[in-house]
Amino acid sequence: MKTTHSSHRAAAFSTSLLFDDTQIQFKESVSQFSTEHITPHASKIDHTNYFPKEKSMGEFNLHGITAPEEYGGLGLGYLYHCIAMEEISRASGSVGLSYGAHSNLCINQLMRNGNPDQKQKYLPCEFMQLLCTTHKCTAFLFFVYKCK
């Protein structure tokens, strides 16, 4: 579907009714980040499982949206997380899905169930964590590339 100038205005108008100025600014900055750093690689990511690391979502602090500031996060909550998910997914559905798994399954579970030492060690992470499941024991294994 081709997007027209008027539909962009309508989308921006409807967004302005839903979000306050800070949320709109956040949405625009994540959109710009996604357009510049994810969209150019989206096709290659989908076809080869290649994931570039030259400018990571962690450096842009997208991994710490829901984590409290005391653990290096932004402490913004799930509305901001949903805004980020939408903009990242707009650039690449597969990256959006991976981001959602990392930020919700990994970070959220560490926040809810981790002890203070684990939270201090692993939150937030600069690079995306890999989430692996085994069908035999349905256990989750988390591998962290680089934490603080």
Side-chain angles (χ1 to χ4, degrees), residues 13-81:
F13 179 73
S14 65
T15 298
S16 68
L17 294 175
L18 297 173
F19 301 137
D20 64 27
D21 290 342
T22 304
Q23 293 161 337
I24 291 169
Q25 184 179 15
F26 177 79
K27 180 179 177 17
E28 290 169 353
S29 67
V30 176
S31 176
Q32 181 179 351
F33 173 87
S34 298
T35 299
E36 292 175 5
H37 300 285
I38 297 172
T39 301
H41 304 286
S43 180
K44 186 175 182 180
I45 291 168
D46 288 345
H47 289 93
T48 66
N49 293 323
Y50 158 82
F51 198 86
K53 294 180 186 167
E54 53 268 2
K55 175 83 174 177
S56 77
M57 288 185 255
E59 291 172 23
F60 198 67
N61 213 3
L62 289 172
H63 295 317
I65 291 173
T66 59
E69 291 179 28
E70 67 186 280
Y71 294 112
L74 298 176
L76 295 175
Y78 285 98
L79 176 57
Y80 283 88
H81 179 260

Side-chain angles (χ1 to χ4, degrees), residues 13 17 21 33 39 41 47 50 52 62 69 84-86 88 90 100 103-104 108-109 116 123 128 133 139 147:
F13 179 73
L17 294 175
D21 290 342
F33 173 87
T39 301
H41 304 286
H47 289 93
Y50 158 82
L62 289 172
E69 291 179 28
M85 280 288 301
E86 180 178 34
I88 293 166
R90 193 180 320 278
S103 58
N104 202 346
N108 186 48
Q109 293 309 309
L123 294 173
M128 194 161 313
T133 61
C147 292

Side-chain angles (χ1 to χ4, degrees), residues 130-146:
L130 300 176
L131 173 66
C132 304
T133 61
T134 61
H135 295 290
K136 292 181 181 176
C137 64
T138 62
F140 291 97
L141 305 172
F142 300 96
F143 299 95
V144 179
Y145 283 134
K146 182 178 179 184

